Amino acid sequence: MRISQDSVNGCTDFRSMPRRQMLQAGVLGTLGLSMADLFRLQAEETKPTAGASGKKIEPRAMSVIQINLPGGFPHHESFDPKPEAPVEYRGSFGVAKTNTGDVFSDNLPVLASIADKITVVRSVVGKIPDHGLATYHLHTGYTPSTVIDYPQMGSIVSHELGARGELPCYIAIPGKNASSGGTGFLPSIHGPFETGGDPATQKKNFKVRDFSLPANLSLENLQRRQAVRNMVEQRIRGLEANPVLLDTMDEFHYRAYSLLTSADAQSAFSFEGETDETFKLYGSEVTGDVKGPDGRLHPKGLAERLIIARRLVESGVRFVTLEYGSWDCHSGVEKTCLDQMRPFDHAIAGLVSDLDRRGLLDTTIVWVTSEFGRTPKINKESGRDHWARCYSMMLAGGGFQRGLVHGASDSTGGEPVRDAVTLENLIATIYHQMGIDANKELVAFGTRPIEIIRDAEVVKQLIS
């Protein structure tokens, strides 16, 4: 079952958003690899120079797993219930008491049971109640501009920190959100490696597109072709061809060759060695209460995406992004939650618990995002509309305070009444935990200094 199907109840601009765009790289004649061509295409631009500003920060986190919930995740039905408000505000769900003495919606009983491991911010403040514009804001920290395109967070992380090993620094499963922007004024090399294949649908047969040898090409033949290529390149160098171009090509052929011949890299993109107990922990077979067109209840596939994400950060990937569900519930917010909340609850709690038991939670930030929340009052279609003035996000790990509920919204969940956190400041805090100064200036177009996040401040109350 496809995980990110458009909601029949969503607004027109959300339903008409373009599908994830995949790079279609041609086959490279010498190696027979499209991946090397992909790397080459990504590197055709020259790198901007980083500015001298920016203080050195000791990193607490090595990686981020971002789980984006497109369409506008309802905070009343998740992390910020209002049980004492009138029914037209509180909705049809009750509450689940957390193990820290607070309450979540009763849609999230498993997360409530591990609330001592997570951080909830109930006072996030956005700017734009429009899907595409708000998605760009979420992923870049800037509102869209006709003058300049800004880089995504994963691209900034790639530019500032670089790869930790053989695998790409920034990976999107199965691809990036089409409205999230690109690499902006940074070179295309800092864009996400898109897996193409989707563990949500392929399950244990998951394969990354173009990440295996062609059926008619053995590893021995691949090595022979690499040797031939090296000989040809040496001859070209002898003819005094452009050394800069050759060095660039070398880097990307080497990366593609290393990925295809590395057992560790191949293993990271698979379910090799994962036990049935792990799949159960993530809720692989958990379904919602709404039947599909075939009259059956279906698992949603978030569990499989998150297991692959965990394997990737375990192998050194710095930034992994993926999406789950369709939350644009202008009508039938109850049905939307009954369909999608239970698998979300099990999978996110499973990821946090799994990272913790493996000793990875301290160095991995789990970040649950959405472009905005939903209106305090339920509309006449039994849904909630767009609301950017106050909503909730969840974090875990990476030096964020465990068991913390930060900030508060008013009695109907419409405005912050304590400790408001702008989206820019929250992003700056995540950068800070990774050792990146969000106030650092990067030089775009050779001369123009631009802050990673403009006038951002770290929210120190969130950090342990």
Side-chain angles (χ1 to χ4, degrees):
M1 184 175 185
R2 184 163 56 84
I3 209 169
S4 293
Q5 59 182 339
D6 297 337
S7 170
V8 295
N9 299 324
C11 60
T12 305
D13 66 319
F14 181 64
R15 295 200 309 272
S16 63
M17 286 165 65
R19 296 293 181 195
R20 297 181 182 90
Q21 300 170 347
M22 303 293 181
L23 288 174
Q24 300 297 324
V27 174
L28 187 66
T30 307
L31 288 178
L33 309 175
S34 59
M35 196 181 311
D37 217 15
L38 182 148
F39 286 145
R40 176 180 60 79
L41 290 170
Q42 286 183 326
E44 285 178 347
E45 305 167 38
T46 54
K47 293 184 179 181
T49 355
S53 65
K55 59 186 178 183
K56 184 174 177 57
I57 300 170
E58 192 67 30
R60 294 281 302 275
M62 304 301 290
S63 302
V64 173
I65 298 174
Q66 180 193 22
I67 304 99
N68 188 44
L69 309 173
F73 191 60
H75 51 290
H76 295 76
E77 282 77 19
S78 57
F79 294 109
D80 193 11
K82 299 297 176 182
E84 297 180 1
V87 66
E88 62 267 29
Y89 292 94
R90 72 171 181 263
S92 58
F93 297 102
V95 299
K97 190 169 183 179
T98 71
N99 65 357
T100 58
D102 212 302
V103 293
F104 294 164
S105 166
D106 62 4
N107 285 309
L108 305 179
V110 188
L111 279 167
S113 72
I114 63 156
D116 58 327
K117 299 180 188 293
I118 67 176
T119 305
V120 172
V121 183
R122 284 178 171 164
S123 53
V124 179
V125 179
K127 290 182 177 178
I128 319 169
D130 170 89
H131 290 296
L133 302 181
T135 297
Y136 185 91
H137 185 207
L138 167 66
H139 287 272
T140 66
Y142 282 88
T143 54
S145 164
T146 57
V147 178
I148 188 168
D149 191 17
Y150 298 97
Q152 299 175 1
M153 285 185 70
S155 298
I156 291 288
V157 170
S158 173
H159 180 267
E160 292 299 295
L161 302 179
R164 291 173 59 201
E166 294 175 313
L167 291 174
C169 181
Y170 174 24
I171 295 179
I173 306 171
K176 72 182 185 72
N177 187 301
S179 296
S180 62
T183 57
F185 53 79
L186 297 178
S188 295
I189 181 59
H190 297 296
F193 179 91
E194 298 178 285
T195 65
D198 188 356
T201 54
Q202 296 171 321
K203 304 294 183 180
K204 295 183 182 180
N205 296 318
F206 168 62
K207 280 188 177 182
V208 176
R209 184 196 55 216
D210 300 331
F211 199 61
S212 57
L213 295 177
N216 61 347
L217 183 66
S218 67
L219 181 58
E220 181 181 359
N221 287 336
L222 174 67
Q223 291 167 339
R224 287 176 181 172
R225 293 190 183 192
Q226 176 72 1
V228 171
R229 181 187 173 277
N230 290 341
M231 292 171 58
V232 172
E233 182 190 285
Q234 288 174 13
R235 182 67 180 270
I236 294 173
R237 286 185 185 278
L239 297 174
E240 298 183 350
N242 186 334
V244 174
L245 177 61
L246 284 172
D247 288 344
T248 300
M249 289 298 296
D250 269 358
E251 177 183 351
F252 299 105
H253 278 282
Y254 174 76
R255 285 173 61 184
Y257 182 79
S258 295
L259 285 174
L260 282 177
T261 56
S262 165
D264 290 342
Q266 294 285 336
S267 176
F269 286 105
S270 75
F271 292 106
E272 179 185 337
E274 297 294 340
T275 65
D276 290 341
E277 185 272 336
T278 298
F279 283 94
K280 183 177 180 180
L281 175 67
Y282 284 71
S284 178
E285 297 303 317
V286 173
T287 71
D289 290 337
V290 178
K291 294 180 179 179
D294 59 357
R296 300 173 60 188
L297 299 175
H298 294 269
K300 300 294 186 179
L302 178 60
E304 285 77 12
R305 284 185 177 180
L306 291 183
I307 292 171
I308 292 295
R310 188 218 78 218
R311 291 177 69 95
L312 291 175
V313 300
E314 216 168 6
S315 298
V317 177
R318 291 191 185 275
F319 200 100
V320 181
T321 184
L322 56 96
E323 296 198 331
Y324 169 65
S326 180
W327 300 92
D328 195 31
C329 45
H330 291 279
S331 64
V333 63
E334 180 181 7
K335 181 179 179 181
T336 297
C337 293
L338 289 173
D339 186 32
Q340 300 177 117
M341 279 287 191
R342 188 182 299 157
F344 168 81
D345 183 36
H346 281 262
I348 301 299
L351 173 64
V352 172
S353 299
D354 198 18
L355 288 169
D356 196 27
R357 72 181 183 177
R358 292 171 186 267
L360 293 170
L361 191 57
D362 286 340
T363 57
T364 304
I365 297 172
V366 176
W367 186 28
V368 177
T369 66
S370 191
E371 65 263 42
F372 42 62
R374 311 303 298 188
T375 49
K377 191 172 184 179
I378 294 174
N379 62 31
K380 62 182 180 181
E381 301 295 329
S382 300
R384 297 186 190 269
D385 301 312
H386 301 181
W387 194 259
R389 284 150 60 178
C390 183
Y391 54 106
S392 298
M393 287 191 185
M394 191 209 96
L395 302 110
F400 282 90
Q401 281 203 49
R402 298 190 181 197
L404 173 68
V405 173
H406 179 83
S409 62
D410 61 22
S411 61
T412 61
E415 304 283 348
V417 292
R418 186 178 72 249
D419 298 328
V421 177
T422 65
L423 183 57
E424 290 86 350
N425 285 352
L426 183 58
I427 293 172
T429 307
I430 292 171
Y431 278 140
H432 179 274
Q433 294 305 93
M434 296 196 76
I436 298 172
D437 180 6
N439 292 305
K440 178 180 179 178
E441 292 179 341
L442 303 179
V443 179
F445 317 121
T447 58
R448 182 172 178 176
I450 298 176
E451 292 172 296
I452 293 176
I453 301 288
R454 184 176 295 127
D455 300 324
E457 296 181 3
V458 174
V459 186
K460 295 180 180 179
Q461 300 96 313
L462 296 177
I463 301 170
S464 59

